[in-house]
Amino acid sequence: MQPPSRQDYVSLSLPGLESGGYNNSKQWRRQSCWRKWKQLSRLQRSLILCIVVLLFIFGLATYPTVTEHLRGLGDGEQDTDSKDIPGPTFPPLLPEPDKMAQSALPEQTSQRKLSTESRPVLHNHLQRRGNASEVVAENKAAVVKEDLEEGVTGWHGPLVDTNQATGGAKSKEKDDSPDDQEAKLPQDSEASRLEEVRQAFRHAWNGYKQFSWGHDELRPISKTYSEWFGLGLTLIDALDTMWLLGLKEEFEEARAWVATELTFDKNVDVNLFESTIRILGGLLSTYHLTGDALFLDKAKDIGSRLMPAFNTPSKIPYSDVNIGKGIAHPPRWTSDSTLSEVTSIQLEFRELGRLTQDPQYEAAVDEVMKQIHKLDGKQDGLVPMFINTNNGQFTHQGVYTLGARADSYYEYLLKQWIQGGKKDHQLLEDYLQAIEGVKKNLLQKSSPHGLTFVGELSHGQFSPKMDHLVCFLPGTLALGAHNGLPADHMDLAKELMETCYQMYVQMETGLSPEIVHFNMHEGSTRDIEVKLADRHNLLRPETVESLFYLYRFTEDHKYQEWGWEILQNFNKYTKVPSGGYTSINNVRDPEYPSPRDKMESFFLGETLKYLYLLFSHDPDLVSLDQYVFNTEAHPLPIWPTAA
Ligand code: DMJ
């Protein structure tokens, strides 16, 4: 058969393409547009120009800074050399839930010293109620309409009278004297606050149980669920929280689901980092707290199924793995992995390696750290946000942040050093250098009140933008100081803790937005600005996490008070009457914070756990000298020092 001749094809003639090709075509289109424009009336032209100008102004007002366009999943970090791994030995198991719940309802609050520090001379949200943005009012109507169309009738703002109960928000309108503080801390405050967290957990759990049992995340407003990996993410993330809170019944029903329903033999793509910190971390931690081998078996299963991620030309892991097929791949649009994601899986895989005595796990994650330790492209210990899985080189160089895509790299440098018995000097050096890098490049003071904050650097240009995610840093700095690192780390931790608290207290709902920008110009009237696109709150844990560390190490009750206020505001603005808590769109509108209809698994895995630990006066309830928390708040044992 003859191949078709050129004439067999249909030929299309387009005006402008026939005689002169692409350039003439463009010219033709330009002329045609211009003719059409001239045919419009003056009014029509003015209207179009107005719309273009408005769109331009709106675009400028909401255009994301340095890293926001790259924003996505998590954070990360770490490094280490292979070590001699001693046979598994465990720190003492914690008491059974019932017993623990009782021992956590004690009487010795008076032994603790009361803070004599006065309150920060800054704003509180009660004083700023009138400042909600006008734009919010416009948005509100649209959202209410949308919710009504979806059949949402149960949402309202306040559910809890913030003036009730002990201490907290009410007294913030004046500076506290020591007497005031004493008044806020009756003998039973610890017990009642712990019970309040348990109630919050039960409420969240009831929503999950009713509407999303066995699925990944609760959508509490629409009373359904969302699936991410299809692995019961919230249930697994919440296991050790239930154990620690003494919620035995809830724990047992969740355990039964893990025993009978949970299977990883599924044709699903999971994100390596997220499934490591939430699932592998959650199972390992629950195994250590309970001694129940079911959780270790499940941890081994998911751990081995994640390993194909490390089969890359560079040994820098891909972001995604199909755990059923054993095939890993990068995201569709790039062969890069996120820095924090490849450097915040080390605590978990190292522990899995120790428990199984299988060297492949630690070797794989150590290799990542070794490569990153050696790479060029860091600035004073600060790392770029992406790394290429083919050639193992940093990409998108010149952008440095402690927020999304880099955060837990710094956290895991310190925590791996602690996990391994403080022997790996390379990890320690990288951590110390990075903190010096933060001080030199990213630390600034706001105006007018001089809040210390951590901004971002993009190709030499400083941006006063700070993610809520950065609020892990006060806790990490305090943990380092507790482990013998320079005392000025603790000073910085306290300053940043104050800033993170102000990110809550200066909002009308008393809840922090996802991102803030700090004013640095003399004459500014307020320290913190929030862009329209950044006003959401996802029920994130970082601030209450740091409050927990700060309280543990200083015993200053003000940190408990701050956490108490935050819990009350979560109850007031994010609790959904039919069950569960929801992330919200607008922390600046106390009348209608606009629910997003999602309860992230970390609200149960992290936020409520850290609040519970913050309100407990028992330093042995997950001792920080025996356990190190992974970046999803799952405690893993600090390895016994080899003899
Ligand atoms: C969690 O999954 C982890 O804390 C992670 O390190 C950062 N993001 C969320 C919580 O905000």
Side-chain angles (χ1 to χ4, degrees):
M1 193 173 148
Q2 291 288 312
S5 69
R6 278 191 91 71
Q7 287 80 358
D8 293 326
Y9 296 103
V10 176
S11 89
L12 289 175
S13 304
L14 295 173
L17 283 178
E18 303 164 317
S19 58
Y22 180 65
N23 284 338
N24 279 348
S25 149
K26 277 206 304 197
Q27 195 180 352
W28 177 85
R29 277 202 300 271
R30 268 200 303 270
Q31 284 166 356
S32 162
C33 285
W34 179 244
R35 261 203 307 276
K36 281 183 183 146
W37 176 253
K38 297 286 280 181
Q39 284 162 6
L40 296 175
S41 71
R42 187 172 293 176
L43 179 65
Q44 284 171 319
R45 276 185 261 165
S46 310
L47 267 174
I48 291 171
L49 283 174
C50 265
I51 290 168
V52 170
V53 169
L54 280 175
L55 283 174
F56 180 69
I57 292 170
F58 182 76
L60 271 188
T62 58
Y63 187 74
T65 54
V66 196
T67 59
E68 291 166 57
H69 65 296
L70 302 169
R71 157 170 300 278
L73 308 159
D75 39 61
E77 136 40 28
Q78 131 66 49
D79 135 24
T80 163
D81 282 329
S82 329
K83 290 164 194 60
D84 294 333
I85 308 169
T89 39
F90 314 113
L93 292 180
L94 291 165
E96 289 282 321
D98 281 351
K99 215 167 132 204
M100 184 164 331
Q102 275 166 17
S103 70
L105 303 175
E107 45 280 13
Q108 312 97 324
T109 49
S110 55
Q111 290 174 1
R112 300 276 159 173
K113 88 176 152 68
L114 292 175
S115 165
T116 49
E117 275 183 42
S118 63
R119 280 212 158 286
V121 205
L122 283 159
H123 315 296
N124 68 52
H125 69 275
L126 297 173
Q127 292 163 336
R128 301 181 66 83
R129 281 272 152 97
N131 289 353
S133 159
E134 328 67 70
V135 190
V136 167
E138 290 162 26
N139 290 346
K140 194 191 320 182
V143 181
V144 170
K145 183 168 169 284
E146 205 178 288
D147 286 346
L148 286 175
E149 279 164 7
E150 285 175 12
V152 178
T153 51
W155 177 265
H156 52 89
L159 291 173
V160 169
D161 175 4
T162 45
N163 291 340
Q164 80 186 10
T166 51
K170 170 176 130 179
S171 55
K172 284 163 32 46
E173 286 172 302
K174 61 187 173 71
D175 285 354
D176 294 341
S177 67
D179 284 351
D180 289 331
Q181 294 230 357
E182 198 140 22
K184 284 194 304 190
L185 289 167
Q187 290 293 304
D188 68 346
S189 70
E190 181 190 11
S192 63
R193 288 179 181 190
L194 292 175
E195 187 49 35
E196 186 91 4
V197 182
R198 271 192 217 101
Q199 274 173 25
F201 187 96
R202 279 196 203 99
H203 186 82
W205 186 250
N206 283 340
Y208 176 75
K209 218 174 126 177
Q210 285 181 77
F211 309 122
S212 50
W213 183 249
H215 297 284
D216 282 344
E217 290 140 343
L218 169 66
R219 298 186 61 205
I221 303 291
S222 49
K223 301 189 174 132
T224 181
Y225 57 85
S226 54
E227 218 64 293
W228 191 4
F229 310 141
L231 297 173
L233 202 57
T234 295
L235 188 150
I236 300 176
D237 221 358
L239 283 166
D240 57 3
T241 307
M242 288 183 270
W243 182 265
L244 290 170
L245 268 57
L247 300 173
K248 193 167 186 182
E249 206 178 294
E250 290 82 354
F251 179 83
E252 288 304 337
E253 62 195 352
R255 186 205 179 275
W257 184 87
V258 172
T260 58
E261 305 288 329
L262 177 61
T263 173
F264 297 124
D265 189 11
K266 274 184 146 178
N267 180 13
V268 286
D269 273 0
V270 303
N271 174 281
L272 170 69
F273 163 74
E274 298 290 355
S275 50
T276 298
I277 65 169
R278 301 186 198 212
I279 300 176
L280 179 57
L283 291 167
L284 286 173
S285 144
T286 308
Y287 166 64
H288 278 296
L289 297 180
T290 63
D292 184 339
L294 167 71
F295 300 107
L296 180 57
D297 289 344
K298 292 291 179 185
K300 287 180 191 167
D301 191 12
I302 185 67
S304 65
R305 286 171 187 275
L306 292 173
M307 288 306 283
F310 295 90
N311 296 334
T312 69
S314 66
K315 304 225 166 57
I316 300 297
Y318 288 136
S319 59
D320 299 283
V321 197
N322 185 304
I323 51 172
K325 294 183 179 166
I327 298 170
H329 60 88
R332 236 172 271 130
W333 58 91
T334 177
S335 51
D336 291 351
S337 283
T338 299
L339 225 294
S340 62
E341 292 195 2
V342 301
T343 56
S344 311
I345 50 179
Q346 277 68 13
L347 290 178
E348 299 82 357
F349 277 100
R350 281 159 41 125
E351 179 57 16
L352 183 63
R354 190 178 75 102
L355 290 171
T356 58
Q357 292 285 285
D358 182 344
Q360 66 162 325
Y361 298 115
E362 181 166 12
V365 292
D366 277 359
E367 173 65 23
V368 179
M369 294 314 300
K370 270 188 217 154
Q371 289 196 38
I372 285 166
H373 174 75
K374 283 190 252 157
L375 276 184
D376 290 334
K378 288 182 232 163
Q379 178 159 339
D380 305 313
L382 304 176
V383 291
M385 296 151 69
F386 294 97
I387 186 162
N388 188 275
T389 49
N390 291 324
N391 61 24
Q393 297 297 311
F394 290 132
T395 64
H396 300 77
Q397 295 200 28
V399 180
Y400 303 100
T401 172
L402 267 273
R405 296 188 181 274
D407 47 2
S408 44
Y409 162 76
Y410 305 99
E411 177 189 347
Y412 269 34
L413 281 176
L414 177 75
K415 288 184 172 178
Q416 282 183 85
W417 176 68
I418 293 171
Q419 179 191 40
K422 301 196 249 186
K423 286 183 287 185
D424 189 326
H425 295 302
Q426 194 170 290
L427 286 166
L428 177 61
E429 278 162 28
D430 284 355
Y431 175 74
L432 290 172
Q433 197 192 357
I435 298 305
E436 290 311 304
V438 169
K439 288 188 206 162
K440 181 173 163 195
N441 299 286
L442 304 181
L443 217 55
Q444 287 290 347
K445 298 260 186 204
S446 69
S447 175
H449 289 108
L451 293 175
T452 304
F453 70 92
V454 180
E456 298 186 346
L457 200 62
S458 179
H459 307 289
Q461 189 97 14
F462 180 79
S463 162
K465 162 182 176 279
M466 181 165 149
D467 294 351
H468 181 272
L469 288 168
V470 181
C471 290
F472 80 92
L473 188 58
T476 297
L477 286 166
L479 181 64
H482 175 72
N483 280 280
L485 302 190
D488 73 318
H489 286 206
M490 183 54 104
D491 300 337
L492 181 55
K494 289 178 183 170
E495 285 178 39
L496 290 172
M497 191 74 262
E498 168 70 44
T499 303
C500 290
Y501 171 62
Q502 288 299 327
M503 285 163 61
Y504 282 71
V505 91
Q506 293 196 22
M507 299 302 117
E508 287 78 355
T509 56
L511 293 174
S512 170
E514 178 74 357
I515 301 169
V516 298
H517 286 76
F518 289 90
N519 278 320
M520 293 173 64
H521 307 294
E522 248 177 67
S524 303
T525 52
R526 51 200 283 168
D527 295 83
I528 298 178
E529 303 286 351
V530 188
K531 296 191 177 184
L532 276 179
D534 302 337
R535 296 181 171 196
H536 48 293
N537 178 297
L538 304 183
L539 312 172
R540 285 196 190 276
E542 289 76 18
T543 293
V544 294
E545 167 186 354
S546 285
L547 287 172
F548 156 64
Y549 285 103
L550 269 284
Y551 174 68
R552 268 284 168 97
F553 299 135
T554 66
E555 298 186 2
D556 186 336
H557 286 289
K558 81 177 176 191
Y559 299 120
Q560 291 184 315
E561 297 308 304
W562 294 357
W564 181 237
E565 288 167 23
I566 291 170
L567 174 61
Q568 288 181 322
N569 289 323
F570 276 134
N571 275 331
K572 192 167 174 183
Y573 295 108
T574 72
K575 188 173 178 180
V576 180
S578 52
Y581 288 73
T582 178
S583 44
I584 55 174
N585 279 313
N586 194 347
V587 296
R588 307 222 60 178
D589 187 351
E591 300 308 319
Y592 195 78
S594 175
R596 282 168 86 104
D597 196 14
K598 176 124 158 208
M599 183 173 78
E600 301 278 352
S601 77
F602 51 69
F603 184 62
L604 286 78
E606 295 193 70
T607 310
L608 293 176
K609 184 188 290 152
Y610 281 129
L611 280 165
Y612 189 82
L613 294 173
L614 168 67
F615 299 142
S616 167
H617 291 185
D618 180 2
D620 293 326
L621 182 59
V622 193
S623 160
L624 290 171
D625 295 318
Q626 287 185 309
Y627 290 91
V628 61
F629 284 88
N630 86 340
T631 192
E632 189 75 6
H634 298 303
L636 299 173
I638 294 172
W639 298 346
T641 318

